Amino acid sequence: AQTVTQSQPEMSVQEAETVTLSCTYDTSESNYYLFWYKQPPSRQMILVIRQEAYKQQNATENRFSVNFQKAAKSFSLKISDSQLGDTAMYFCAFAHMNRDDKIIFGKGTRLHILP
Amino acid sequence: DGGITQSPKYLFRKEGQNVTLSCEQNLNHDAMYWYRQDPGQGLRLIYYSQIVNDFQKGDIAEGYSVSREKKESFPLTVTSAQKNPTAFYLCASSLFSAGYSNQPQHFGDGTRLSIL
């Protein structure tokens, strides 16, 4: 069965610092999607970034970037120049490509940005 | 603007009572999902539906029921058989199923259900 593991339940960093959130996953497939979602205190889930497994280039979205290591089955999220508004729960997620299947979420990392 | 609307935002259930959570989307998405969120548990899938009049159980379907009579609507009923229903419930949708989709899931604002 596919699993998504986020090994850091909670993290805190100072504003303007860079922080990296870890995510590993387990699958025997070679084609899939990986996602990072953000859930701020308002509770609405928001997509932060997405990576297709067949793409070698790491996805980037403004201050958010990923380090996708396919062989290691690792998908970490880097937040540069962190802001107070980045305080949220962050969920890593996995979905097979071209399969009739559902997204699998990790348990989340709670990130606190300190002023 | 397209999106997902969940109602109510807060809901209280009495012992032995069934309650229904509403989820409506105007994104023309095929697939819809219900998740339960508990502290420290992340998101757990309750039910999902890829097309109208069809749905599948997720990881924690016991004590819940759903229907998908319209593409836009995917209501979740929390039955009296669900002994620990207090949680935050999130509805989501995506174009086709998650694996086929080039669009990631969109989420509603959630419903918080509590026991009286």
Side-chain angles (χ1 to χ4, degrees):
Chain A
Q2 286 70 41
T3 59
V4 178
T5 302
Q6 294 180 248
S7 59
Q8 305 148 311
E10 196 159 3
M11 300 179 69
S12 297
V13 296
Q14 295 294 135
E15 189 177 9
E17 290 184 349
T18 294
V19 59
T20 299
L21 281 60
S22 301
C23 174
T24 57
Y25 57 93
D26 185 28
T27 182
S28 57
E29 304 288 332
S30 59
N31 295 318
Y32 47 86
Y33 296 102
L34 292 162
F35 308 87
W36 277 100
Y37 286 87
K38 168 184 177 181
Q39 187 180 39
S42 64
R43 305 307 294 270
Q44 184 177 34
M45 294 278 283
I46 303 164
L47 175 69
V48 175
I49 204 163
R50 180 190 65 197
Q51 175 85 40
E52 289 87 351
Y54 62 84
K55 291 185 178 178
Q56 293 184 342
Q57 186 174 6
N58 288 325
T60 298
E61 194 70 39
N62 300 315
R63 297 183 295 107
F64 297 86
S65 61
V66 297
N67 183 6
F68 174 45
Q69 301 290 328
K70 192 172 184 179
K73 296 180 183 176
S74 171
F75 184 62
S76 60
L77 175 70
K78 186 173 81 171
I79 306 174
S80 303
D81 186 26
S82 59
Q83 301 174 359
L84 296 178
D86 295 333
T87 293
M89 281 287 288
Y90 287 82
F91 294 95
C92 180
F94 166 98
H96 284 119
M97 191 179 293
N98 298 327
R99 276 270 303 272
D100 193 9
D101 213 340
K102 58 189 183 293
I103 282 181
I104 300 167
F105 288 86
K107 292 190 175 183
T109 295
R110 184 175 299 281
L111 176 64
H112 302 275
I113 307 300
L114 306 173
Chain B
D1 287 342
I4 299 177
T5 301
Q6 287 188 244
S7 62
K9 191 170 184 177
Y10 300 96
L11 186 59
F12 298 92
R13 194 191 89 169
K14 296 180 181 179
E15 292 289 338
Q17 185 182 40
N18 294 351
V19 292
T20 297
L21 285 60
S22 171
C23 178
E24 303 278 334
Q25 55 100 357
N26 60 2
L27 298 163
N28 199 33
H29 283 176
D30 301 286
M32 297 186 74
Y33 310 77
W34 275 106
Y35 293 96
R36 171 175 171 147
Q37 188 176 24
D38 296 282
Q41 294 287 332
L43 273 69
R44 293 186 291 171
L45 182 65
I46 305 172
Y47 268 98
Y48 65 106
S49 168
Q50 293 164 339
I51 57 172
V52 175
N53 293 322
D54 187 51
F55 47 83
Q56 288 80 39
K57 292 182 179 179
D59 302 318
I60 54 166
E62 185 174 353
Y64 300 97
S65 66
V66 294
S67 63
R68 187 86 187 275
E69 297 177 1
K70 299 186 299 181
K71 189 175 184 178
E72 303 79 18
S73 179
F74 191 43
L76 173 74
T77 296
V78 183
T79 74
S80 57
Q82 172 50 245
K83 298 305 179 187
N84 184 25
T86 297
F88 188 67
Y89 291 86
L90 281 165
C91 180
S93 71
S94 67
L95 193 63
F96 302 107
S97 69
Y100 286 98
S101 174
N102 288 320
Q103 299 289 336
Q105 292 189 132
H106 296 251
F107 289 83
D109 289 343
T111 293
R112 179 165 295 284
L113 176 62
S114 302
I115 295 295
L116 285 177

Short mmCIF file of all heavy atoms in Angstrom, two decimals, chain B residues 74-95:
data_model
loop_
_atom_site.label_atom_id
_atom_site.label_comp_id
_atom_site.label_asym_id
_atom_site.label_seq_id
_atom_site.Cartn_x
_atom_site.Cartn_y
_atom_site.Cartn_z
N PHE B 74 -22.65 16.39 -3.15
CA PHE B 74 -22.16 15.14 -2.55
C PHE B 74 -22.37 15.23 -1.03
O PHE B 74 -21.43 15.40 -0.26
CB PHE B 74 -20.69 14.96 -2.89
CG PHE B 74 -20.12 13.60 -2.55
CD1 PHE B 74 -20.81 12.44 -2.82
CD2 PHE B 74 -18.84 13.49 -2.01
CE1 PHE B 74 -20.27 11.20 -2.54
CE2 PHE B 74 -18.28 12.25 -1.72
CZ PHE B 74 -19.00 11.10 -1.99
N PRO B 75 -23.60 15.09 -0.57
CA PRO B 75 -23.87 15.23 0.87
C PRO B 75 -23.38 14.03 1.67
O PRO B 75 -23.43 12.89 1.19
CB PRO B 75 -25.39 15.36 0.93
CG PRO B 75 -25.87 14.68 -0.32
CD PRO B 75 -24.83 14.91 -1.36
N LEU B 76 -22.96 14.29 2.87
CA LEU B 76 -22.47 13.26 3.79
C LEU B 76 -23.40 13.20 5.00
O LEU B 76 -23.67 14.22 5.63
CB LEU B 76 -21.06 13.60 4.28
CG LEU B 76 -20.48 12.71 5.37
CD1 LEU B 76 -20.08 11.35 4.80
CD2 LEU B 76 -19.27 13.39 6.03
N THR B 77 -23.91 11.99 5.29
CA THR B 77 -24.73 11.80 6.48
C THR B 77 -23.92 11.08 7.54
O THR B 77 -23.33 10.01 7.27
CB THR B 77 -26.00 10.99 6.16
OG1 THR B 77 -26.81 11.75 5.25
CG2 THR B 77 -26.81 10.71 7.42
N VAL B 78 -23.87 11.68 8.71
CA VAL B 78 -23.21 11.05 9.86
C VAL B 78 -24.32 10.36 10.64
O VAL B 78 -25.21 11.03 11.19
CB VAL B 78 -22.49 12.11 10.71
CG1 VAL B 78 -21.74 11.43 11.85
CG2 VAL B 78 -21.54 12.94 9.86
N THR B 79 -24.30 9.06 10.66
CA THR B 79 -25.39 8.33 11.29
C THR B 79 -25.12 8.11 12.78
O THR B 79 -24.00 8.33 13.27
CB THR B 79 -25.59 6.97 10.60
OG1 THR B 79 -24.53 6.09 10.98
CG2 THR B 79 -25.62 7.12 9.09
N SER B 80 -26.13 7.63 13.46
CA SER B 80 -26.00 7.36 14.89
C SER B 80 -25.02 6.22 15.15
O SER B 80 -24.55 6.04 16.28
CB SER B 80 -27.37 7.04 15.49
OG SER B 80 -27.95 5.94 14.82
N ALA B 81 -24.69 5.47 14.11
CA ALA B 81 -23.73 4.38 14.26
C ALA B 81 -22.30 4.88 14.40
O ALA B 81 -21.42 4.14 14.86
CB ALA B 81 -23.82 3.43 13.06
N GLN B 82 -22.08 6.13 14.05
CA GLN B 82 -20.75 6.72 14.20
C GLN B 82 -20.65 7.22 15.64
O GLN B 82 -21.22 8.25 16.00
CB GLN B 82 -20.55 7.85 13.20
CG GLN B 82 -19.27 8.68 13.38
CD GLN B 82 -18.01 7.84 13.49
OE1 GLN B 82 -17.34 7.82 14.52
NE2 GLN B 82 -17.69 7.13 12.43
N LYS B 83 -19.91 6.49 16.45
CA LYS B 83 -19.90 6.76 17.89
C LYS B 83 -18.99 7.91 18.29
O LYS B 83 -19.12 8.44 19.40
CB LYS B 83 -19.47 5.50 18.64
CG LYS B 83 -20.42 4.32 18.43
CD LYS B 83 -21.85 4.68 18.78
CE LYS B 83 -22.79 3.51 18.56
NZ LYS B 83 -24.21 3.90 18.74
N ASN B 84 -18.10 8.30 17.44
CA ASN B 84 -17.19 9.39 17.76
C ASN B 84 -17.15 10.38 16.60
O ASN B 84 -16.15 10.50 15.90
CB ASN B 84 -15.79 8.85 18.05
CG ASN B 84 -14.81 9.94 18.47
OD1 ASN B 84 -15.22 10.99 18.99
ND2 ASN B 84 -13.54 9.72 18.24
N PRO B 85 -18.23 11.11 16.37
CA PRO B 85 -18.31 11.94 15.18
C PRO B 85 -17.67 13.31 15.32
O PRO B 85 -17.56 14.03 14.32
CB PRO B 85 -19.82 12.09 14.98
CG PRO B 85 -20.37 12.05 16.37
CD PRO B 85 -19.50 11.07 17.11
N THR B 86 -17.27 13.68 16.50
CA THR B 86 -16.70 15.02 16.69
C THR B 86 -15.41 15.16 15.91
O THR B 86 -14.43 14.47 16.18
CB THR B 86 -16.44 15.29 18.18
OG1 THR B 86 -17.69 15.25 18.88
CG2 THR B 86 -15.78 16.64 18.38
N ALA B 87 -15.43 16.04 14.93
CA ALA B 87 -14.27 16.22 14.05
C ALA B 87 -14.55 17.38 13.11
O ALA B 87 -15.63 17.96 13.09
CB ALA B 87 -14.00 14.95 13.24
N PHE B 88 -13.53 17.69 12.33
CA PHE B 88 -13.65 18.68 11.26
C PHE B 88 -13.77 17.91 9.95
O PHE B 88 -12.97 17.01 9.68
CB PHE B 88 -12.41 19.57 11.28
CG PHE B 88 -12.47 20.75 10.36
CD1 PHE B 88 -13.37 21.78 10.60
CD2 PHE B 88 -11.62 20.85 9.29
CE1 PHE B 88 -13.43 22.89 9.76
CE2 PHE B 88 -11.66 21.95 8.45
CZ PHE B 88 -12.57 22.97 8.68
N TYR B 89 -14.80 18.23 9.15
CA TYR B 89 -15.06 17.50 7.92
C TYR B 89 -14.80 18.40 6.71
O TYR B 89 -15.34 19.50 6.62
CB TYR B 89 -16.51 16.99 7.90
CG TYR B 89 -16.77 15.93 8.92
CD1 TYR B 89 -17.11 16.26 10.23
CD2 TYR B 89 -16.64 14.57 8.60
CE1 TYR B 89 -17.32 15.28 11.19
CE2 TYR B 89 -16.85 13.59 9.54
CZ TYR B 89 -17.19 13.94 10.83
OH TYR B 89 -17.40 12.97 11.78
N LEU B 90 -14.00 17.89 5.81
CA LEU B 90 -13.64 18.64 4.61
C LEU B 90 -14.15 17.92 3.37
O LEU B 90 -13.97 16.72 3.22
CB LEU B 90 -12.12 18.79 4.51
CG LEU B 90 -11.48 19.86 5.38
CD1 LEU B 90 -9.98 19.65 5.47
CD2 LEU B 90 -11.78 21.24 4.83
N CYS B 91 -14.77 18.68 2.49
CA CYS B 91 -15.21 18.17 1.20
C CYS B 91 -14.23 18.68 0.14
O CYS B 91 -13.72 19.81 0.25
CB CYS B 91 -16.62 18.68 0.91
SG CYS B 91 -17.30 18.14 -0.68
N ALA B 92 -13.97 17.87 -0.86
CA ALA B 92 -13.04 18.28 -1.91
C ALA B 92 -13.55 17.78 -3.25
O ALA B 92 -14.40 16.87 -3.32
CB ALA B 92 -11.65 17.72 -1.63
N SER B 93 -13.01 18.35 -4.32
CA SER B 93 -13.37 17.90 -5.65
C SER B 93 -12.17 17.97 -6.56
O SER B 93 -11.20 18.68 -6.28
CB SER B 93 -14.51 18.75 -6.23
OG SER B 93 -14.05 20.05 -6.55
N SER B 94 -12.23 17.20 -7.64
CA SER B 94 -11.17 17.27 -8.64
C SER B 94 -11.73 16.87 -9.98
O SER B 94 -12.76 16.22 -10.09
CB SER B 94 -9.98 16.38 -8.26
OG SER B 94 -10.35 15.02 -8.31
N LEU B 95 -11.02 17.29 -11.03
CA LEU B 95 -11.41 16.92 -12.38
C LEU B 95 -11.00 15.47 -12.60
O LEU B 95 -9.86 15.10 -12.37
CB LEU B 95 -10.69 17.84 -13.37
CG LEU B 95 -11.18 17.84 -14.81
CD1 LEU B 95 -12.61 18.33 -14.85
CD2 LEU B 95 -10.28 18.71 -15.65
#
